[in-house]
Amino acid sequence: MIPPFDYSDHKRACQRKQLERATRIANLPTNYRSPLSYEDRRILGKSIEELVQDVHKQILQPIDILRTYSKVAVKAHERTNCLTEVMIPEAETWAEHGINRKGPLAGIPVSLKDSIAVGGFDVSVGYSCNTGKPYAKDGPVARLLKDAGAIPYVKTNLPVTLLSFESTNDVWGRCTNPHNSEYSPGGSTGGEAALLAFGGGRIGIGSDVAGSVRAPAHFSGIYSLRCSTGRWPKMGMNTSMPGQEGIPSVFSPMARTLGDLTYFSRSIISMKPWKYDHTVHPIEWREDQEKDGTDRKKFKLGVVDPAPACSRALEQIASALRSEGHEVVDVDPPSPYEALVIASQLLNSDGCKTFRSFFRTGEWNDPGPAQMNFYMKIPRPFKYLYYLWVKYVRRDDIWAGLLRNWHKKSAFEQWKLVAQREAYKAKWHEWWEQEAKIDFMLTPPNATPAVPHEGMKDAVSSCGYTFMFNLLDYTCGIIPVTHVDRAKDQLPATFRFKDLNGVAKGAYKHYDANKMHGLPVAVQVVGQRLQEEKVLAVMQRIEDALEKNGGKYELMEIE
């Protein structure tokens, strides 16, 4: 059906998918809605490495682990609307007959972002036009997981367009933060973060093009690793922007604990994912990199500061590391703003046409991408006048610089942007190696903690702390550190909102320590390209230092 006559198709598709999900949950055996038993609690208290060992020794059966975590996943969904495709009935069959019980992930349930292909299920990515089209077979990630012994059991919510730090769409509805339902769990892998934070799983897989596994970990209080391109499979997925390679998206792991994140990452690499996906580099797990991060006596690390709650989390880590004898220095890297300008134009060089092409008439759009599209569609003469007004009347060079060339790019312009990207990456590499000479960086994952629902209308451009490292293709990990404290995290009396530039205003408009009280706050650990083993080892050193100095993050208790 062509627009505008596809409106009724859109409404029917959304109703059908939500009814299908509700029916699948309602038809689960009654034990999935019973209170957690003593045995359930024992299973929930074990790491995935311990659970795998129990399966190998036949102390536990995969079906027992699956049923325990599925029980909590159903509760998590009731609280946060985090699930999309409920695959639990099929997962029971896979647990009995379709997995490798001797594999490195034997018996472990793994949740998947909705964009990952599993045979027999849709890959809607929140667009109604993608529903009713189940994939005929598993994609490479699902095949690899089953060969490793893991059990895909649920898929999780995300934002339509995949270009937001919220997770809402017409097909599946709004996903909320398990700590505070008025706030986003993050995006675009927000459903994963909500599920794992609640305890409905221990490990999951998301994707990241501008911070989409990192912002959710920060907003919801879990751990994640943004892998460099080529370290993790990416084929067999659906997306809102097929063909977009100016800032490549990467699929990466997320977990409830750091130990699980490391074990999961090591296990996936041990499966030689390059045999499943031609885009993966044939790089084995490098024990020497991990050992370097684990054994080095003293690190030199750089720190970058943001809003009060996030600054406090950074200082908490910096203080713990200083206590362990490490050198912590403030750094002044090449312009992050330059990265934001280049990356945002590369990502949307098609004029936002591709992600718009999947919308049906009347389909809701996330306010963040809607803002990008709004500015993109303003005729260029009028946009130029607006740019002049912002730059010379409002005297906001930052916001003006983002608007200046915000239009669809020709191939000639695209190639020039790619050249700028590569020059910027070279500049960063030289700064890191020749000037800063640091082992890793600590930054906030976002200027503020979680945004309230609809907040991305204002905060859409304040993703610079994560987006920059997508452009650089650096490995980044997220460690939850603390929670917002209304007594400690108020803005200073000298803070003047009206003096901020347009990007900063979008971020700070929603910063309210009273309303945000109790929301998680994380820190981003940044290594260089393809340093996954080292970053995970450094994250462990940081968490050990926090625990030793009385500051390790407390996970959300499983109800």
Side-chain angles (χ1 to χ4, degrees), residues 16-17 20 85 114 116 118 120-124 130-135 155 172:
R16 183 181 70 251
K17 290 304 292 184
E20 177 186 297
E85 303 288 351
D114 186 78
I116 298 174
V118 178
F121 294 89
D122 288 340
V123 189
S124 71
N130 290 331
T131 64
K133 302 172 182 177
Y135 276 47
K155 293 172 69 175
W172 302 111

Side-chain angles (χ1 to χ4, degrees), residues 345 376 380 383 400-409:
Q345 294 195 38
M376 194 68 77
R380 289 179 67 173
K383 194 181 312 182
L402 284 173
L403 291 170
R404 177 70 180 88
N405 293 304
W406 191 250
H407 57 258
K408 182 180 177 180
K409 303 296 186 291

Side-chain angles (χ1 to χ4, degrees), residues 258 293-294 296-304 312-329 438-443 479 481 523-526 535-552:
L258 181 54
T294 302
R296 187 177 298 197
K297 298 297 182 185
K298 183 178 180 179
F299 287 116
K300 181 180 179 182
L301 56 143
V303 179
V304 180
R312 183 167 60 84
L314 279 170
E315 180 52 38
Q316 197 168 325
I317 284 184
S319 177
L321 289 172
R322 287 191 194 101
S323 298
E324 299 294 303
H326 301 293
E327 182 183 359
V328 182
V329 298
I438 52 178
D439 295 297
F440 59 92
M441 283 180 64
L442 296 177
T443 81
I479 300 180
V481 178
V523 163
Q524 181 173 227
V525 180
V526 182
V535 168
L536 286 166
V538 167
M539 290 168 71
Q540 188 62 61
R541 293 285 293 277
I542 290 171
E543 185 154 276
D544 290 345
L546 286 171
E547 188 166 25
K548 186 175 178 180
N549 291 275
K552 184 180 176 182

